[in-house]
Amino acid sequence: MQNESIPDARGPVFCGVDTHADSHWLYVLDWRGRKVLSRQFPADAAGYEALAGAIAAAGEPACIAMEGTSSYGAGLTRHLASLGMPVREALSPARMQRRRPGQGKCDEADAERAARAAMSGSRLGTPKSQDGWVDGVRCMLAARSGAVKARTSAINTGLATPIWTIPGGTAPPP
């Protein structure tokens, strides 16, 4: 984990967060576009608190751009929004723009890209609230999909059991 800061950073800060299942990478820029902080945090409640604290310690957040506000970053998005922080969704660039073939993915570079998008105000969207009727329909569709899958599995299990295994049954024709 890397932690760098520029002393005496004044004015608003612009943050970028690259979200993953196990950890989130935070990148903070000052109002001049200089790196204030770059650090990885665990993707759990304690990590959310630590990340929010790091943002607050860096300065007043003007914009926090996050990649994945409705997937891996959903919990962090809700947490930061509940603290009154201005969270926006950083729209991911096309894969070819994000990295060149033969180069690995870099979480810090993705977080920096999101922070620069927050600073410029470009390629930002409004994160889904996840508490409206759309999310309710999404949950119902997921439940239906699971029920259909279970039904199909039960039918297939019943059909796969040969009838001749039942006492008095006959073997299937060759």
Side-chain angles (χ1 to χ4, degrees):
M1 287 196 242
Q2 185 178 355
N3 186 357
E4 296 180 20
S5 65
I6 296 173
D8 299 327
R10 300 282 182 243
V13 293
F14 300 89
C15 309
V17 181
D18 186 32
T19 61
H20 296 282
D22 299 327
S23 65
H24 303 316
W25 195 283
L26 171 68
Y27 198 96
V28 181
L29 298 170
D30 68 4
W31 63 278
R32 292 182 179 161
R34 297 179 301 179
K35 178 179 175 180
V36 174
L37 173 74
S38 179
R39 186 170 162 212
Q40 190 174 20
F41 294 88
D44 57 15
Y48 298 166
E49 283 294 324
L51 192 143
I55 291 172
E60 182 66 30
C63 182
I64 302 168
M66 293 180 48
E67 286 188 2
T69 59
S70 60
S71 55
Y72 292 134
L76 180 60
T77 300
R78 278 192 300 271
H79 181 71
L80 296 177
S82 73
L83 296 174
M85 294 188 176
V87 180
R88 301 289 306 272
E89 183 168 11
L91 305 177
S92 298
R95 281 184 192 227
M96 292 308 291
Q97 291 174 332
R98 200 166 45 215
R99 59 186 171 267
R100 283 176 255 165
Q103 293 181 339
K105 182 177 179 338
C106 178
D107 297 338
E108 184 177 16
D110 288 346
E112 180 182 4
R113 185 177 302 103
R116 299 219 178 266
M119 189 172 194
S120 69
S122 65
R123 299 192 53 80
L124 296 176
T126 303
K128 294 179 179 85
S129 66
Q130 299 182 343
D131 60 358
W133 68 271
V134 173
D135 200 50
V137 170
R138 189 178 300 118
C139 288
M140 287 192 318
L141 288 174
R144 181 186 184 279
S145 175
V148 168
K149 185 176 179 182
R151 177 182 177 267
T152 303
S153 177
I155 289 170
N156 289 341
T157 301
L159 293 176
T161 305
I163 197 162
W164 53 270
T165 59
I166 300 172
T170 59

